[in-house]
Structure formats: structure tokens, C-alpha cells
Amino acid sequence: MSSEMDVQRNVDSGSYEAVVDGEVVGMIVYHAPRGDQRVTFSHTIVDPGHRGQGIATGLVKHALDDLRARDLKLTNYCTFVADYIADHPEYKDLVDGRFPGRATVPDRAPRER
């Protein structure tokens, strides 16, 4: 990635946004009911012109680190997030055991990075 990426949590739109050169180029859409200790990720989107630059990976890492910092659990419906967690098992504990979502984390050895 040639430009610096900034990730921001946008509470109003319910998304984590990847911003490059002042432009939102990717996002993770989430739902966080008020007072709930669980956040639901529905999907990850990256602008086609910015794919292959590590934006989605950076978004997921930032979002999962934010959940951990805020002591929240994850219900996941995004296959990209599930694959990221499979490759980074240190985040597996964030997945809510009672409500894991439909995009389950594959039970496999992490892929080489």
C-alpha cells in the first residue's frame, strides 16, 4: 500500500472505515445494539481500485483490536473476518461462543503470511 491508511470507527454509520488520502476506500459493516456486550460483523467491503493492498486485512485487525480493547465479543457473518481469525488464532477468543454467527472460523492451521 503506497499511502498511509487510517481506520476509524464510525458509530453513526455502524462501520469501521479505511481512509486513504482522505477517501473512504473500505469498511467493515457492523451492528452493535446499545448496552450489548456483543458486536455483529456482517461484511467487509473494499473499493475495487484498492483491492490487493492489504486494506481489508488492516481493517479486520484494527476492528478486532478495538473489540478486545472495549471488552466486547464478536458475532460474525463475514467470511473474510472468519478466514483472518483462522490465520490469527490469537483473536479466536473474541468470537461469542453462544452466538458465533454463520461465518464460522475454519478449524485449520494458519496460512503462511
Side-chain angles (χ1 to χ4, degrees), residues 22-87:
E23 176 186 358
V24 176
V25 298
M27 67 178 59
I28 294 175
V29 179
Y30 72 85
H31 178 69
R34 180 173 260 152
D36 202 350
Q37 293 300 307
R38 185 167 38 97
V39 174
T40 301
F41 286 178
S42 58
H43 52 278
T44 303
I45 305 163
V46 174
D47 179 83
H50 290 86
R51 291 182 184 160
Q53 300 175 27
I55 289 172
T57 300
L59 265 170
V60 172
K61 180 183 181 342
H62 180 91
L64 293 174
D65 287 343
D66 184 60
L67 293 186
R68 186 175 309 285
R70 295 187 305 129
D71 199 28
L72 298 172
K73 290 293 185 182
L74 171 66
T75 296
N76 184 43
Y77 288 88
C78 177
T79 56
F80 187 87
V81 171
D83 285 339
Y84 182 90
I85 294 171
D87 289 339

Short mmCIF file of all heavy atoms in Angstrom, two decimals, residues 22-87:
data_model
loop_
_atom_site.label_atom_id
_atom_site.label_comp_id
_atom_site.label_asym_id
_atom_site.label_seq_id
_atom_site.Cartn_x
_atom_site.Cartn_y
_atom_site.Cartn_z
N GLY A 22 -7.74 10.80 2.49
CA GLY A 22 -8.99 11.48 2.74
C GLY A 22 -10.23 10.81 2.18
O GLY A 22 -11.33 11.35 2.30
N GLU A 23 -10.07 9.66 1.57
CA GLU A 23 -11.20 8.96 0.93
C GLU A 23 -11.45 7.62 1.62
O GLU A 23 -10.51 6.87 1.90
CB GLU A 23 -10.86 8.71 -0.55
CG GLU A 23 -11.88 7.93 -1.30
CD GLU A 23 -11.43 7.60 -2.72
OE1 GLU A 23 -10.33 8.00 -3.13
OE2 GLU A 23 -12.19 6.90 -3.40
N VAL A 24 -12.72 7.31 1.90
CA VAL A 24 -13.08 6.00 2.45
C VAL A 24 -12.97 4.99 1.31
O VAL A 24 -13.67 5.09 0.30
CB VAL A 24 -14.51 6.00 3.05
CG1 VAL A 24 -14.88 4.60 3.51
CG2 VAL A 24 -14.60 6.98 4.20
N VAL A 25 -12.04 4.02 1.47
CA VAL A 25 -11.80 3.04 0.42
C VAL A 25 -12.21 1.63 0.83
O VAL A 25 -12.15 0.69 0.04
CB VAL A 25 -10.32 3.05 -0.03
CG1 VAL A 25 -9.95 4.41 -0.63
CG2 VAL A 25 -9.40 2.69 1.12
N GLY A 26 -12.63 1.48 2.09
CA GLY A 26 -13.07 0.17 2.55
C GLY A 26 -13.78 0.30 3.88
O GLY A 26 -13.65 1.32 4.56
N MET A 27 -14.54 -0.74 4.22
CA MET A 27 -15.24 -0.72 5.50
C MET A 27 -15.65 -2.11 5.94
O MET A 27 -15.80 -3.01 5.13
CB MET A 27 -16.46 0.20 5.46
CG MET A 27 -17.57 -0.27 4.56
SD MET A 27 -19.02 0.81 4.57
CE MET A 27 -18.35 2.35 4.03
N ILE A 28 -15.82 -2.24 7.24
CA ILE A 28 -16.46 -3.40 7.84
C ILE A 28 -17.77 -2.88 8.40
O ILE A 28 -17.79 -1.93 9.19
CB ILE A 28 -15.63 -4.01 8.98
CG1 ILE A 28 -14.34 -4.59 8.44
CG2 ILE A 28 -16.44 -5.10 9.70
CD1 ILE A 28 -13.41 -5.11 9.53
N VAL A 29 -18.87 -3.46 7.97
CA VAL A 29 -20.18 -3.06 8.45
C VAL A 29 -20.50 -3.88 9.69
O VAL A 29 -20.34 -5.10 9.70
CB VAL A 29 -21.25 -3.27 7.35
CG1 VAL A 29 -22.63 -2.88 7.86
CG2 VAL A 29 -20.88 -2.47 6.10
N TYR A 30 -20.95 -3.18 10.74
CA TYR A 30 -21.25 -3.87 11.99
C TYR A 30 -22.56 -3.37 12.59
O TYR A 30 -23.08 -2.32 12.21
CB TYR A 30 -20.11 -3.71 13.00
CG TYR A 30 -19.96 -2.33 13.61
CD1 TYR A 30 -20.72 -1.95 14.72
CD2 TYR A 30 -19.07 -1.41 13.09
CE1 TYR A 30 -20.59 -0.69 15.28
CE2 TYR A 30 -18.93 -0.15 13.65
CZ TYR A 30 -19.70 0.20 14.74
OH TYR A 30 -19.58 1.45 15.30
N HIS A 31 -23.05 -4.15 13.53
CA HIS A 31 -24.24 -3.77 14.30
C HIS A 31 -23.89 -3.98 15.76
O HIS A 31 -23.42 -5.05 16.14
CB HIS A 31 -25.43 -4.63 13.89
CG HIS A 31 -26.67 -4.32 14.67
ND1 HIS A 31 -27.36 -3.14 14.55
CD2 HIS A 31 -27.33 -5.05 15.60
CE1 HIS A 31 -28.39 -3.15 15.36
NE2 HIS A 31 -28.40 -4.30 16.01
N ALA A 32 -24.13 -2.96 16.57
CA ALA A 32 -23.81 -3.03 17.99
C ALA A 32 -25.00 -2.48 18.78
O ALA A 32 -25.07 -1.27 19.00
CB ALA A 32 -22.54 -2.25 18.31
N PRO A 33 -25.91 -3.35 19.19
CA PRO A 33 -27.05 -2.86 19.98
C PRO A 33 -26.58 -2.17 21.25
O PRO A 33 -25.64 -2.63 21.90
CB PRO A 33 -27.83 -4.13 20.31
CG PRO A 33 -27.37 -5.15 19.31
CD PRO A 33 -25.95 -4.79 18.98
N ARG A 34 -27.21 -1.09 21.56
CA ARG A 34 -26.86 -0.31 22.76
C ARG A 34 -26.96 -1.19 24.00
O ARG A 34 -27.93 -1.89 24.21
CB ARG A 34 -27.79 0.88 22.88
CG ARG A 34 -27.49 1.73 24.10
CD ARG A 34 -28.33 2.98 24.10
NE ARG A 34 -27.44 4.03 23.60
CZ ARG A 34 -27.84 5.09 22.95
NH1 ARG A 34 -29.09 5.28 22.69
NH2 ARG A 34 -26.97 6.00 22.56
N GLY A 35 -25.92 -1.18 24.81
CA GLY A 35 -25.90 -1.93 26.06
C GLY A 35 -25.52 -3.40 25.91
O GLY A 35 -25.34 -4.09 26.89
N ASP A 36 -25.36 -3.88 24.67
CA ASP A 36 -24.99 -5.27 24.45
C ASP A 36 -23.47 -5.39 24.52
O ASP A 36 -22.75 -4.46 24.18
CB ASP A 36 -25.49 -5.73 23.08
CG ASP A 36 -25.63 -7.24 22.97
OD1 ASP A 36 -25.16 -7.95 23.87
OD2 ASP A 36 -26.21 -7.69 21.97
N GLN A 37 -22.98 -6.53 24.95
CA GLN A 37 -21.54 -6.77 25.02
C GLN A 37 -21.05 -7.54 23.80
O GLN A 37 -20.00 -8.17 23.83
CB GLN A 37 -21.21 -7.54 26.31
CG GLN A 37 -21.44 -6.73 27.56
CD GLN A 37 -20.59 -5.46 27.57
OE1 GLN A 37 -19.38 -5.50 27.40
NE2 GLN A 37 -21.23 -4.31 27.74
N ARG A 38 -21.83 -7.47 22.71
CA ARG A 38 -21.52 -8.23 21.50
C ARG A 38 -21.72 -7.33 20.29
O ARG A 38 -22.64 -6.54 20.24
CB ARG A 38 -22.46 -9.43 21.44
CG ARG A 38 -22.22 -10.38 20.34
CD ARG A 38 -23.01 -11.68 20.56
NE ARG A 38 -24.32 -11.50 21.12
CZ ARG A 38 -25.45 -11.45 20.41
NH1 ARG A 38 -25.42 -11.55 19.10
NH2 ARG A 38 -26.62 -11.29 21.00
N VAL A 39 -20.80 -7.45 19.33
CA VAL A 39 -20.88 -6.72 18.07
C VAL A 39 -21.00 -7.75 16.95
O VAL A 39 -20.34 -8.78 16.97
CB VAL A 39 -19.60 -5.86 17.86
CG1 VAL A 39 -19.60 -5.20 16.50
CG2 VAL A 39 -19.50 -4.81 18.97
N THR A 40 -21.86 -7.46 15.97
CA THR A 40 -22.04 -8.34 14.83
C THR A 40 -21.39 -7.72 13.60
O THR A 40 -21.72 -6.59 13.23
CB THR A 40 -23.54 -8.57 14.55
OG1 THR A 40 -24.14 -9.16 15.71
CG2 THR A 40 -23.74 -9.50 13.36
N PHE A 41 -20.44 -8.44 12.99
CA PHE A 41 -19.85 -8.02 11.72
C PHE A 41 -20.63 -8.70 10.61
O PHE A 41 -20.79 -9.92 10.62
CB PHE A 41 -18.39 -8.46 11.62
CG PHE A 41 -17.42 -7.68 12.47
CD1 PHE A 41 -16.08 -8.04 12.47
CD2 PHE A 41 -17.81 -6.62 13.26
CE1 PHE A 41 -15.16 -7.34 13.25
CE2 PHE A 41 -16.90 -5.92 14.04
CZ PHE A 41 -15.56 -6.28 14.03
N SER A 42 -21.11 -7.90 9.64
CA SER A 42 -21.86 -8.50 8.54
C SER A 42 -21.02 -8.70 7.29
O SER A 42 -21.09 -9.76 6.67
CB SER A 42 -23.12 -7.69 8.23
OG SER A 42 -22.79 -6.37 7.88
N HIS A 43 -20.23 -7.72 6.90
CA HIS A 43 -19.37 -7.91 5.73
C HIS A 43 -18.27 -6.85 5.67
O HIS A 43 -18.36 -5.81 6.30
CB HIS A 43 -20.18 -7.93 4.44
CG HIS A 43 -21.11 -6.78 4.25
ND1 HIS A 43 -22.35 -6.72 4.81
CD2 HIS A 43 -20.98 -5.63 3.56
CE1 HIS A 43 -22.95 -5.60 4.47
NE2 HIS A 43 -22.14 -4.92 3.73
N THR A 44 -17.25 -7.21 4.89
CA THR A 44 -16.11 -6.33 4.64
C THR A 44 -16.15 -5.93 3.18
O THR A 44 -16.33 -6.78 2.30
CB THR A 44 -14.79 -7.07 4.96
OG1 THR A 44 -14.83 -7.52 6.32
CG2 THR A 44 -13.59 -6.18 4.75
N ILE A 45 -15.97 -4.65 2.92
CA ILE A 45 -16.04 -4.12 1.56
C ILE A 45 -14.78 -3.30 1.31
O ILE A 45 -14.38 -2.50 2.15
CB ILE A 45 -17.25 -3.18 1.40
CG1 ILE A 45 -18.55 -3.87 1.79
CG2 ILE A 45 -17.33 -2.62 -0.01
CD1 ILE A 45 -19.69 -2.90 2.06
N VAL A 46 -14.16 -3.51 0.14
CA VAL A 46 -13.03 -2.67 -0.28
C VAL A 46 -13.31 -2.22 -1.72
O VAL A 46 -13.69 -3.04 -2.57
CB VAL A 46 -11.68 -3.42 -0.19
CG1 VAL A 46 -10.55 -2.57 -0.76
CG2 VAL A 46 -11.39 -3.79 1.25
N ASP A 47 -13.08 -0.94 -1.97
CA ASP A 47 -13.25 -0.40 -3.30
C ASP A 47 -12.40 -1.20 -4.28
O ASP A 47 -11.22 -1.48 -3.99
CB ASP A 47 -12.82 1.08 -3.27
CG ASP A 47 -12.93 1.73 -4.61
OD1 ASP A 47 -14.05 2.16 -4.96
OD2 ASP A 47 -11.90 1.81 -5.32
N PRO A 48 -12.99 -1.59 -5.44
CA PRO A 48 -12.23 -2.42 -6.40
C PRO A 48 -10.86 -1.85 -6.78
O PRO A 48 -9.90 -2.59 -6.96
CB PRO A 48 -13.14 -2.50 -7.62
CG PRO A 48 -14.52 -2.34 -7.06
CD PRO A 48 -14.36 -1.36 -5.90
N GLY A 49 -10.74 -0.55 -6.85
CA GLY A 49 -9.47 0.07 -7.22
C GLY A 49 -8.41 -0.01 -6.13
O GLY A 49 -7.25 0.32 -6.37
N HIS A 50 -8.79 -0.45 -4.94
CA HIS A 50 -7.86 -0.52 -3.82
C HIS A 50 -7.67 -1.95 -3.29
O HIS A 50 -7.05 -2.14 -2.25
CB HIS A 50 -8.33 0.40 -2.68
CG HIS A 50 -8.20 1.84 -3.01
ND1 HIS A 50 -9.17 2.55 -3.68
CD2 HIS A 50 -7.20 2.72 -2.78
CE1 HIS A 50 -8.77 3.79 -3.84
NE2 HIS A 50 -7.58 3.92 -3.30
N ARG A 51 -8.20 -2.91 -4.00
CA ARG A 51 -8.05 -4.30 -3.55
C ARG A 51 -6.62 -4.78 -3.76
O ARG A 51 -5.89 -4.27 -4.60
CB ARG A 51 -9.04 -5.20 -4.29
CG ARG A 51 -10.46 -4.90 -3.86
CD ARG A 51 -11.47 -5.79 -4.51
NE ARG A 51 -12.80 -5.36 -4.10
CZ ARG A 51 -13.89 -5.65 -4.75
NH1 ARG A 51 -13.85 -6.40 -5.82
NH2 ARG A 51 -15.05 -5.20 -4.30
N GLY A 52 -6.23 -5.76 -2.98
CA GLY A 52 -4.89 -6.33 -3.10
C GLY A 52 -3.81 -5.49 -2.44
O GLY A 52 -2.62 -5.73 -2.65
N GLN A 53 -4.19 -4.51 -1.63
CA GLN A 53 -3.24 -3.63 -0.99
C GLN A 53 -3.19 -3.81 0.53
O GLN A 53 -2.58 -3.02 1.24
CB GLN A 53 -3.58 -2.17 -1.32
CG GLN A 53 -3.54 -1.85 -2.80
CD GLN A 53 -3.99 -0.43 -3.09
OE1 GLN A 53 -3.87 0.46 -2.26
NE2 GLN A 53 -4.51 -0.21 -4.28
N GLY A 54 -3.90 -4.83 1.03
CA GLY A 54 -3.89 -5.08 2.47
C GLY A 54 -4.90 -4.27 3.26
O GLY A 54 -4.86 -4.25 4.49
N ILE A 55 -5.80 -3.60 2.57
CA ILE A 55 -6.77 -2.75 3.26
C ILE A 55 -7.73 -3.57 4.10
O ILE A 55 -7.96 -3.25 5.27
CB ILE A 55 -7.51 -1.85 2.24
CG1 ILE A 55 -6.52 -0.79 1.73
CG2 ILE A 55 -8.76 -1.21 2.87
CD1 ILE A 55 -7.01 0.05 0.61
N ALA A 56 -8.30 -4.62 3.54
CA ALA A 56 -9.24 -5.45 4.30
C ALA A 56 -8.56 -6.08 5.51
O ALA A 56 -9.11 -6.10 6.61
CB ALA A 56 -9.86 -6.53 3.41
N THR A 57 -7.35 -6.54 5.33
CA THR A 57 -6.59 -7.14 6.43
C THR A 57 -6.35 -6.12 7.54
O THR A 57 -6.54 -6.41 8.72
CB THR A 57 -5.26 -7.70 5.91
OG1 THR A 57 -5.54 -8.70 4.92
CG2 THR A 57 -4.43 -8.32 7.02
N GLY A 58 -5.94 -4.92 7.17
CA GLY A 58 -5.73 -3.86 8.15
C GLY A 58 -7.01 -3.48 8.87
O GLY A 58 -7.01 -3.23 10.09
N LEU A 59 -8.11 -3.43 8.13
CA LEU A 59 -9.41 -3.13 8.73
C LEU A 59 -9.79 -4.17 9.78
O LEU A 59 -10.20 -3.83 10.89
CB LEU A 59 -10.49 -3.14 7.65
CG LEU A 59 -10.89 -1.84 7.00
CD1 LEU A 59 -11.78 -2.11 5.80
CD2 LEU A 59 -11.59 -0.93 7.98
N VAL A 60 -9.66 -5.44 9.41
CA VAL A 60 -10.06 -6.51 10.32
C VAL A 60 -9.19 -6.48 11.58
O VAL A 60 -9.70 -6.57 12.70
CB VAL A 60 -10.01 -7.89 9.63
CG1 VAL A 60 -10.23 -9.01 10.63
CG2 VAL A 60 -11.03 -7.96 8.51
N LYS A 61 -7.89 -6.34 11.41
CA LYS A 61 -7.01 -6.30 12.58
C LYS A 61 -7.40 -5.15 13.50
O LYS A 61 -7.54 -5.33 14.71
CB LYS A 61 -5.54 -6.17 12.16
CG LYS A 61 -4.60 -6.11 13.38
CD LYS A 61 -3.17 -5.91 12.98
CE LYS A 61 -2.21 -5.88 14.13
NZ LYS A 61 -2.71 -5.64 15.46
N HIS A 62 -7.60 -3.99 12.93
CA HIS A 62 -7.98 -2.82 13.74
C HIS A 62 -9.31 -3.06 14.45
O HIS A 62 -9.45 -2.77 15.65
CB HIS A 62 -8.07 -1.57 12.87
CG HIS A 62 -8.45 -0.35 13.64
ND1 HIS A 62 -7.53 0.49 14.21
CD2 HIS A 62 -9.67 0.14 13.98
CE1 HIS A 62 -8.15 1.46 14.85
NE2 HIS A 62 -9.45 1.27 14.72
N ALA A 63 -10.30 -3.56 13.73
CA ALA A 63 -11.63 -3.78 14.32
C ALA A 63 -11.56 -4.81 15.45
O ALA A 63 -12.17 -4.61 16.51
CB ALA A 63 -12.60 -4.22 13.24
N LEU A 64 -10.83 -5.90 15.25
CA LEU A 64 -10.72 -6.92 16.30
C LEU A 64 -9.96 -6.38 17.50
O LEU A 64 -10.33 -6.65 18.65
CB LEU A 64 -10.07 -8.19 15.75
CG LEU A 64 -10.89 -8.94 14.70
CD1 LEU A 64 -10.07 -10.09 14.12
CD2 LEU A 64 -12.22 -9.43 15.26
N ASP A 65 -8.91 -5.61 17.26
CA ASP A 65 -8.18 -4.99 18.37
C ASP A 65 -9.09 -4.03 19.14
O ASP A 65 -9.02 -3.95 20.37
CB ASP A 65 -6.94 -4.24 17.87
CG ASP A 65 -5.82 -5.18 17.43
OD1 ASP A 65 -5.83 -6.37 17.79
OD2 ASP A 65 -4.92 -4.69 16.71
N ASP A 66 -9.95 -3.32 18.43
CA ASP A 66 -10.89 -2.41 19.07
C ASP A 66 -11.90 -3.18 19.93
O ASP A 66 -12.19 -2.77 21.06
CB ASP A 66 -11.62 -1.57 18.02
CG ASP A 66 -12.53 -0.54 18.65
OD1 ASP A 66 -12.03 0.32 19.41
OD2 ASP A 66 -13.75 -0.58 18.39
N LEU A 67 -12.42 -4.30 19.42
CA LEU A 67 -13.33 -5.12 20.21
C LEU A 67 -12.65 -5.59 21.50
O LEU A 67 -13.25 -5.53 22.58
CB LEU A 67 -13.83 -6.33 19.43
CG LEU A 67 -14.73 -6.08 18.23
CD1 LEU A 67 -15.23 -7.40 17.67
CD2 LEU A 67 -15.90 -5.17 18.57
N ARG A 68 -11.42 -6.06 21.37
CA ARG A 68 -10.68 -6.53 22.55
C ARG A 68 -10.49 -5.39 23.56
O ARG A 68 -10.72 -5.55 24.74
CB ARG A 68 -9.33 -7.10 22.15
CG ARG A 68 -8.60 -7.72 23.35
CD ARG A 68 -7.31 -8.40 23.02
NE ARG A 68 -7.31 -9.37 21.97
CZ ARG A 68 -7.80 -10.61 22.04
NH1 ARG A 68 -8.41 -11.03 23.12
NH2 ARG A 68 -7.70 -11.43 21.02
N ALA A 69 -10.11 -4.22 23.07
CA ALA A 69 -9.88 -3.07 23.96
C ALA A 69 -11.17 -2.66 24.67
O ALA A 69 -11.12 -2.17 25.80
CB ALA A 69 -9.31 -1.90 23.16
N ARG A 70 -12.30 -2.85 24.02
CA ARG A 70 -13.58 -2.47 24.62
C ARG A 70 -14.26 -3.65 25.31
O ARG A 70 -15.39 -3.54 25.75
CB ARG A 70 -14.48 -1.84 23.56
CG ARG A 70 -13.88 -0.54 23.05
CD ARG A 70 -14.77 0.25 22.11
NE ARG A 70 -15.23 -0.49 20.96
CZ ARG A 70 -16.51 -0.57 20.60
NH1 ARG A 70 -17.45 0.04 21.28
NH2 ARG A 70 -16.84 -1.24 19.52
N ASP A 71 -13.56 -4.79 25.41
CA ASP A 71 -14.05 -5.98 26.10
C ASP A 71 -15.38 -6.46 25.54
O ASP A 71 -16.32 -6.75 26.28
CB ASP A 71 -14.15 -5.73 27.61
CG ASP A 71 -14.19 -7.03 28.41
OD1 ASP A 71 -13.65 -8.04 27.92
OD2 ASP A 71 -14.78 -7.04 29.50
N LEU A 72 -15.46 -6.54 24.20
CA LEU A 72 -16.67 -6.97 23.50
C LEU A 72 -16.44 -8.31 22.82
O LEU A 72 -15.30 -8.66 22.48
CB LEU A 72 -17.09 -5.94 22.46
CG LEU A 72 -17.44 -4.56 23.00
CD1 LEU A 72 -17.65 -3.58 21.85
CD2 LEU A 72 -18.68 -4.63 23.88
N LYS A 73 -17.51 -9.04 22.59
CA LYS A 73 -17.47 -10.31 21.86
C LYS A 73 -17.97 -10.08 20.44
O LYS A 73 -18.65 -9.09 20.14
CB LYS A 73 -18.34 -11.37 22.56
CG LYS A 73 -17.75 -11.84 23.87
CD LYS A 73 -16.47 -12.60 23.62
CE LYS A 73 -15.92 -13.20 24.89
NZ LYS A 73 -14.66 -13.90 24.66
N LEU A 74 -17.66 -11.03 19.56
CA LEU A 74 -17.98 -10.92 18.15
C LEU A 74 -18.96 -12.01 17.72
O LEU A 74 -18.75 -13.19 18.01
CB LEU A 74 -16.70 -11.04 17.32
CG LEU A 74 -16.86 -11.16 15.80
CD1 LEU A 74 -17.45 -9.87 15.23
CD2 LEU A 74 -15.52 -11.47 15.15
N THR A 75 -20.01 -11.59 17.03
CA THR A 75 -20.85 -12.50 16.26
C THR A 75 -20.52 -12.17 14.81
O THR A 75 -20.62 -11.02 14.39
CB THR A 75 -22.35 -12.26 16.54
OG1 THR A 75 -22.59 -12.58 17.91
CG2 THR A 75 -23.21 -13.13 15.65
N ASN A 76 -20.09 -13.19 14.05
CA ASN A 76 -19.52 -12.92 12.73
C ASN A 76 -20.31 -13.57 11.60
O ASN A 76 -20.59 -14.75 11.62
CB ASN A 76 -18.07 -13.44 12.69
CG ASN A 76 -17.41 -13.10 11.40
OD1 ASN A 76 -17.55 -12.00 10.90
ND2 ASN A 76 -16.68 -14.05 10.84
N TYR A 77 -20.63 -12.76 10.59
CA TYR A 77 -21.28 -13.23 9.37
C TYR A 77 -20.39 -12.99 8.14
O TYR A 77 -20.82 -13.19 7.02
CB TYR A 77 -22.62 -12.53 9.18
CG TYR A 77 -23.65 -13.02 10.16
CD1 TYR A 77 -23.78 -12.45 11.41
CD2 TYR A 77 -24.48 -14.09 9.85
CE1 TYR A 77 -24.70 -12.92 12.33
CE2 TYR A 77 -25.41 -14.57 10.76
CZ TYR A 77 -25.52 -13.97 11.99
OH TYR A 77 -26.43 -14.45 12.90
N CYS A 78 -19.17 -12.54 8.35
CA CYS A 78 -18.26 -12.18 7.26
C CYS A 78 -17.21 -13.27 7.08
O CYS A 78 -16.42 -13.54 8.00
CB CYS A 78 -17.60 -10.84 7.55
SG CYS A 78 -16.39 -10.36 6.31
N THR A 79 -17.15 -13.88 5.90
CA THR A 79 -16.19 -14.95 5.67
C THR A 79 -14.75 -14.44 5.68
O THR A 79 -13.84 -15.16 6.08
CB THR A 79 -16.47 -15.69 4.34
OG1 THR A 79 -16.49 -14.73 3.27
CG2 THR A 79 -17.81 -16.41 4.40
N PHE A 80 -14.52 -13.20 5.25
CA PHE A 80 -13.16 -12.65 5.27
C PHE A 80 -12.66 -12.55 6.71
O PHE A 80 -11.52 -12.92 7.01
CB PHE A 80 -13.10 -11.28 4.59
CG PHE A 80 -11.69 -10.78 4.44
CD1 PHE A 80 -10.94 -11.13 3.32
CD2 PHE A 80 -11.10 -10.00 5.41
CE1 PHE A 80 -9.61 -10.70 3.19
CE2 PHE A 80 -9.79 -9.56 5.29
CZ PHE A 80 -9.05 -9.91 4.18
N VAL A 81 -13.51 -12.09 7.61
CA VAL A 81 -13.15 -12.00 9.02
C VAL A 81 -12.88 -13.39 9.59
O VAL A 81 -11.92 -13.60 10.33
CB VAL A 81 -14.23 -11.26 9.83
CG1 VAL A 81 -13.96 -11.35 11.33
CG2 VAL A 81 -14.32 -9.80 9.39
N ALA A 82 -13.71 -14.36 9.22
CA ALA A 82 -13.53 -15.74 9.70
C ALA A 82 -12.17 -16.28 9.25
O ALA A 82 -11.45 -16.90 10.05
CB ALA A 82 -14.65 -16.64 9.20
N ASP A 83 -11.82 -16.06 7.99
CA ASP A 83 -10.51 -16.52 7.50
C ASP A 83 -9.36 -15.80 8.20
O ASP A 83 -8.33 -16.39 8.50
CB ASP A 83 -10.41 -16.33 5.99
CG ASP A 83 -11.21 -17.36 5.21
OD1 ASP A 83 -11.51 -18.45 5.76
OD2 ASP A 83 -11.53 -17.08 4.03
N TYR A 84 -9.53 -14.50 8.47
CA TYR A 84 -8.49 -13.75 9.18
C TYR A 84 -8.27 -14.35 10.57
O TYR A 84 -7.12 -14.54 10.99
CB TYR A 84 -8.88 -12.27 9.29
CG TYR A 84 -7.80 -11.45 9.97
CD1 TYR A 84 -6.78 -10.86 9.22
CD2 TYR A 84 -7.76 -11.30 11.35
CE1 TYR A 84 -5.78 -10.12 9.83
CE2 TYR A 84 -6.77 -10.57 11.97
CZ TYR A 84 -5.77 -9.98 11.21
OH TYR A 84 -4.77 -9.28 11.83
N ILE A 85 -9.35 -14.64 11.28
CA ILE A 85 -9.22 -15.21 12.61
C ILE A 85 -8.58 -16.59 12.55
O ILE A 85 -7.77 -16.94 13.41
CB ILE A 85 -10.58 -15.23 13.34
CG1 ILE A 85 -11.05 -13.80 13.60
CG2 ILE A 85 -10.49 -16.01 14.65
CD1 ILE A 85 -12.48 -13.69 14.12
N ALA A 86 -8.91 -17.38 11.52
CA ALA A 86 -8.27 -18.69 11.38
C ALA A 86 -6.76 -18.54 11.20
O ALA A 86 -5.98 -19.35 11.71
CB ALA A 86 -8.87 -19.45 10.20
N ASP A 87 -6.35 -17.49 10.49
CA ASP A 87 -4.92 -17.25 10.26
C ASP A 87 -4.24 -16.55 11.43
O ASP A 87 -3.01 -16.50 11.51
CB ASP A 87 -4.71 -16.40 9.00
CG ASP A 87 -5.02 -17.18 7.73
OD1 ASP A 87 -5.00 -18.42 7.76
OD2 ASP A 87 -5.29 -16.53 6.70
#
